[in-house]
Amino acid sequence: MGNVVPIFRPEVVKEGVPPELQSALSQVIAEGRFIKGCEVAAFEKELCLELQTHSVVTTGNGTDALLACLMALDLREGDEVITPAYGYPAAVEMMCLLGLKPVLVDVNWQTFNIEVGLLKDAVTSKTKAILPIHLFGLPASMDDILHFAEQHGLPVIEDAAQCLGAEVEIEGTRRKAGTAGRLGCTSFFPTKNLGCWGDGGAVFVNSDDVQLTQKIRMILNHGQRDKYLHEILGLNSRLDTLQAVVLRHALKYLRDANEKRVEIAIRYQEELREISEIELPPFPHNPLNIPNVFTIKVKPQLRQQLKSFLWEKGISTQIYYPLAMHWQKAYQSRIRSGSSLTNAEKLTHCVLSLPLFPSMEKAEQDRVILALNEFFRNHE
Ligand SMILES: *Cc1c(COP(=O)(O)O)cnc(C)c1O
């Protein structure tokens, strides 16, 4: 079978540790500084500048970032939060932990993102926030979501874990995805657009609300403003110093890495567009999508066969996601459906994600393209 084309390969596995990163890591280790410190503060500033937002607060992972946002907005037991029924369910899980009620809304078939037209049927007097997910690097329709939210006086928390670097257009002005809502969250899990060598995440505070930023910092540090004075309930969720060093390095190459992602997506688009049996995702797309994976749709009866065929050719694929959120045992009894969830359900049977990552070689892309074309030549 030869080498496997993985679904994702960290840059460092291919290229090794660059000397300047090695020396920065060695210095932190030599000084024994492992929690917080100037590297974390510097990374927060640099990311803030890259995203052109007001403040960035790092966390131990993306899920904690979502939890901290929900806690910071003082949502109470029974409050409803509108969110899509399809995607990674970290936010829904955190809502359930807090006793909030996730209200699931169907997604758009093409973009995989929340269908804005359905919000009006999902909203009630109990609705206290909207939490869109920007799935697979395709930002949700933030302009329309913000417009709706404003009409109803609701804050928006963006789950931008899969789309760092992508852009949205708000009233004709481009902004980075994650920085348009009142709060945004991201993850630095290794497979994300900006990944570290373990877990990490961040909250974006997208206004000059200093108190809100301060509150989120307190929540993430055991509710302390001053050491050993616990004013509110919080968490222990901080970015490790070593991960901040890795991320400061990766951030320098984020734009290059994201360009690579777009190039590969465009190549897939061109080379796979003649296969009538599959539906391609809408890449490239304005204002700017940064594909995190390349998710095609295929007839349910062919999907397993295609997946096995690709695996025989040494190509890893992944089904993101095999279950809609309302089908998950843990959340089933804790959610409410805000609309019919037909697309979310249908997608779970059709989606298949192909490898797409910045260190993917041309020869690896060729293998994916050839194998897909070969499979469908035999299935016409
Ligand atoms: C990865 C991811 C998260 C969770 O991030 P972690 O850092 O793994 O906790 C949340 N939402 C989405 C959409 C994700 O892709």
Side-chain angles (χ1 to χ4, degrees):
M1 180 157 94
N3 289 340
V4 170
V5 182
I7 187 87
F8 171 76
R9 180 177 55 228
E11 195 75 22
V12 63
V13 171
K14 182 148 169 268
E15 303 291 343
V17 186
E20 74 269 25
L21 178 52
Q22 206 146 30
S23 65
L25 289 169
S26 300
Q27 194 171 340
V28 169
I29 294 167
E31 292 170 10
R33 299 181 282 113
F34 299 119
I35 302 285
K36 303 222 274 193
C38 60
E39 298 282 356
V40 174
F43 171 65
E44 289 181 348
K45 280 214 180 80
E46 287 158 5
L47 184 57
C48 200
L49 203 65
E50 170 63 23
L51 298 176
Q52 294 285 302
T53 190
H54 286 269
S55 31
V56 169
V57 183
T58 50
T59 62
N61 57 67
T63 305
D64 284 351
L66 290 159
L67 178 59
C69 288
L70 294 167
M71 289 168 77
L73 293 180
D74 284 327
L75 303 183
R76 284 168 216 284
E77 209 168 315
D79 285 350
E80 296 188 345
V81 181
I82 301 177
T83 197
Y86 180 75
Y88 192 69
V92 162
E93 184 182 28
M94 294 304 104
M95 290 173 207
C96 294
L97 269 183
L98 292 176
L100 310 176
K101 178 139 296 230
V103 176
L104 302 185
V105 163
D106 207 5
V107 294
N108 181 278
W109 180 256
Q110 263 82 39
T111 68
F112 309 98
N113 284 320
I114 194 160
E115 187 69 77
V116 183
L118 298 172
L119 292 175
K120 63 179 189 311
D121 301 324
V123 79
T124 69
S125 59
K126 289 189 186 161
T127 311
K128 292 293 148 58
I130 304 176
L131 197 151
I133 304 176
H134 304 300
L135 211 60
F136 307 142
L138 294 159
S141 311
M142 281 309 292
D143 209 359
D144 297 336
I145 293 170
L146 288 176
H147 188 70
F148 180 90
E150 201 171 307
Q151 281 179 336
H152 292 82
L154 299 170
V156 175
I157 306 170
E158 291 173 74
D159 182 343
Q162 296 189 9
C163 75
L164 208 73
E167 292 176 359
V168 295
E169 208 167 81
I170 309 297
E171 291 175 350
T173 308
R174 280 187 175 205
R175 304 200 56 164
K176 296 286 183 187
T179 71
R182 183 174 307 175
L183 294 167
C185 294
T186 204
S187 162
F188 305 123
F189 187 82
T191 60
K192 310 290 165 121
N193 290 356
L194 182 65
C196 64
W197 295 352
D199 278 311
V203 173
F204 313 142
V205 182
N206 304 320
S207 72
D208 54 8
D209 188 340
V210 190
Q211 279 179 340
L212 183 58
T213 306
Q214 175 69 10
K215 190 170 177 191
I216 286 169
R217 284 201 186 279
M218 285 170 67
I219 288 171
L220 292 164
N221 194 22
H222 294 293
Q224 303 169 97
R225 191 186 312 267
D226 298 307
K227 207 165 183 174
Y228 304 126
L229 296 175
H230 304 270
E231 288 180 34
I232 54 176
L233 291 180
L235 315 165
N236 172 18
S237 186
R238 304 173 289 228
L239 185 69
D240 289 342
T241 316
L242 286 168
Q243 300 298 355
V245 174
V246 170
L247 285 164
R248 288 187 75 188
H249 179 82
L251 184 57
K252 287 189 204 152
Y253 300 95
L254 176 65
R255 287 181 184 214
D256 291 347
N258 280 348
E259 264 174 41
K260 284 289 268 290
R261 288 179 177 279
V262 171
E263 272 169 32
I264 298 168
I266 291 173
R267 185 137 193 263
Y268 277 159
Q269 290 284 358
E270 281 169 4
E271 306 281 353
L272 303 176
R273 66 162 185 233
E274 311 233 301
I275 306 175
S276 59
E277 301 277 308
I278 59 178
E279 259 184 76
L280 302 175
F283 289 118
H285 187 266
N286 282 326
L288 182 62
N289 294 336
I290 305 292
N292 180 254
V293 288
F294 193 86
T295 304
I296 62 170
K297 299 179 199 109
V298 56
K299 280 203 197 93
Q301 9 0 332
L302 278 185
R303 183 171 67 174
Q304 191 48 49
Q305 219 179 320
L306 173 62
K307 195 175 189 336
S308 307
F309 179 86
L310 292 173
W311 179 242
E312 276 162 31
K313 300 269 175 192
I315 297 162
S316 303
T317 56
Q318 194 55 258
I319 294 170
Y320 301 119
Y321 295 93
L323 284 182
M325 297 192 202
H326 57 295
W327 286 341
Q328 299 283 0
K329 191 171 160 203
Y331 321 134
Q332 238 166 20
S333 63
R334 298 180 161 93
I335 57 107
R336 180 168 78 75
S337 299
S339 74
S340 90
L341 304 174
T342 322
N343 284 344
E345 293 178 357
K346 271 173 36 191
L347 282 170
T348 64
H349 301 299
C350 302
V351 287
L352 189 67
S353 296
L354 308 178
L356 188 160
F357 49 87
S359 72
M360 191 176 187
E361 289 164 12
K362 180 135 188 309
E364 292 176 315
Q365 300 162 31
D366 290 340
R367 279 172 64 188
V368 176
I369 291 162
L370 275 173
L372 273 154
N373 278 296
E374 186 184 331
F375 179 84
F376 285 103
R377 235 190 340 270
N378 301 327
H379 283 86
E380 257 165 0

